[in-house]
Amino acid sequence: MSAGGPFAGLSIEAARRALAAKFKASGIESPELDARLLIGAALGRDHTGLATQASRLITSVEETVISAFVRRRIAHEPVARILGHKEFWGLDLRLSDATLVPRPDTETVVAAALEILRNELRATRALRIADIGTGSGAILLALLSELPDATGIGTDISMAALAIAEMNADKLGLAGRASFVQCDYAAALSGPFDLIVSNPPYIRSADIATLDRDVRDHDPLLALDGGVDGLDAYRAITPQAVALLAPGGGLVFEVGHDQSTQVSVLMRSAGLTLSSPPKADLGGIYRAVMGRKAAI
Ligand code: GLN
């Protein structure tokens, strides 16, 4: 039987190189890595597995799977979406069309939240956490994985996203401490919470068209569009969070690259104290803004 596609009859190594060259010619940002990840996924092998079988020929079934992956990547679908999962804070998270691909930048929010818990909150009972707009559950599940006594609730407007978050909680063995509810921001929650975290939609509506194709054409618009000035979600969530926080509790927001000052002002005028400066991501951008409600 002959396999007709462009990778048929090639060795694994030759297919990987041909694919990297094709991605490069198509303007894909990390052609080598993407080629390796997609061929590895098509063949069910990790990096080492591919290396040890480098000279084996690609089968026709493998060729079909690889070709389908290639078509999707050339259309700028992110590798994480093609694979259906992404690593975040060392956790393997399932994704779907309804969820944002978790970004490394968002790990800054997890780190910031853990810092305020460690340095500022003197909890006398198991912590209660809320994650507003939880998507795949990334931030909440990362925090629960670090805080063995804590419980948390994630909200999302999208039922489809919540189904993925629940699946992730289950797969990570965190389902007993995580629950999920569909609502607008924090509308269905009742406090008190010790910590509220959120990576809300924050892109200005007019800027959506200018985003990378990988983001614009594949991340859910609901998770990106923050209204005319990008700050709609912060204006909605901040007063809700202030009402839901326990005395001394903390609110941590992810913000866009130029929003930390505006979001800080918003939080301060809602009565929160900003005792720590915003926390920068690995690119040096202020990414997480943290505020606390006064302790009694
Ligand atoms: N960080 C995302 C981006 O770079 C935006 C996510 C959001 O709006 N919360 O496009």
Side-chain angles (χ1 to χ4, degrees):
M1 199 175 68
S2 82
F7 306 101
L10 294 182
S11 68
I12 291 178
E13 177 56 19
R16 192 190 58 71
R17 271 191 270 113
L19 188 49
K22 191 175 170 75
F23 283 162
K24 196 163 183 200
S26 307
I28 302 288
E29 221 173 80
S30 47
E32 300 285 341
L33 177 65
D34 291 7
R36 176 156 61 71
L37 289 172
L38 291 176
I39 291 193
L43 273 56
R45 309 205 169 264
D46 62 11
H47 189 29
T48 318
L50 285 185
T52 55
Q53 298 214 345
S55 56
R56 169 167 83 64
L57 299 187
I58 297 280
T59 67
S60 62
V61 172
E62 289 167 349
E63 143 72 23
T64 309
V65 179
I66 295 171
S67 292
F69 284 176
V70 172
R71 274 194 299 279
R72 292 170 69 180
R73 187 67 190 109
I74 298 282
H76 284 263
E77 184 168 348
V79 170
R81 286 204 184 283
I82 300 172
L83 302 182
H85 60 108
K86 169 89 180 170
E87 193 206 296
F88 178 82
W89 199 262
L91 309 175
D92 184 40
L93 296 176
R94 287 280 304 274
L95 307 174
S96 81
D97 292 352
T99 63
L100 209 63
V101 175
R103 318 280 208 261
D105 294 343
T106 301
E107 294 183 340
T108 311
V109 175
V110 177
L114 291 173
E115 265 170 38
I116 53 173
L117 290 179
R118 202 173 307 122
N119 300 338
E120 301 182 32
L121 275 183
R122 296 279 169 266
T124 50
R125 59 197 154 84
L127 294 171
R128 267 192 94 210
I129 302 170
D131 179 8
I132 313 302
T134 195
S136 62
I139 302 175
L140 179 64
L141 297 175
L143 288 169
L144 293 181
S145 77
E146 295 283 347
L147 304 164
D149 296 325
T151 59
I153 182 160
T155 75
D156 210 287
I157 192 86
S158 160
M159 282 301 279
L162 291 174
I164 296 292
E166 263 170 14
M167 197 183 296
N168 282 324
D170 202 35
K171 202 164 63 75
L172 295 167
L174 297 169
R177 294 190 286 127
S179 52
F180 297 95
V181 60
Q182 193 237 357
C183 64
D184 204 10
Y185 298 124
L189 299 184
S190 32
F193 290 97
D194 303 289
L195 177 68
I196 298 180
V197 291
S198 182
N199 173 18
Y202 56 65
I203 310 289
R204 291 176 192 86
S205 304
D207 291 347
I208 300 274
T210 68
L211 296 174
D212 267 6
R213 283 181 65 190
D214 293 36
V215 174
R216 186 194 65 210
D217 296 348
H218 298 282
D219 275 316
L221 187 62
L222 264 178
L224 297 174
D225 191 343
V228 172
D229 65 357
L231 302 173
D232 281 0
Y234 302 105
R235 277 189 288 266
I237 294 169
T238 306
Q240 291 180 330
V242 170
L244 289 167
L245 282 172
L251 171 64
V252 184
F253 273 131
E254 173 166 331
V255 298
H257 67 96
D258 56 359
Q259 293 172 329
S260 64
T261 305
Q262 286 162 299
V263 173
S264 300
V265 169
L266 228 145
M267 286 166 78
R268 225 181 268 119
S269 49
L272 296 171
T273 306
L274 275 65
S275 47
S276 357
K279 191 171 175 66
D281 63 22
L282 292 175
I285 309 275
Y286 284 137
R287 191 57 72 187
V289 180
M290 304 159 259
R292 283 184 64 212
K293 184 162 162 172
I296 304 174

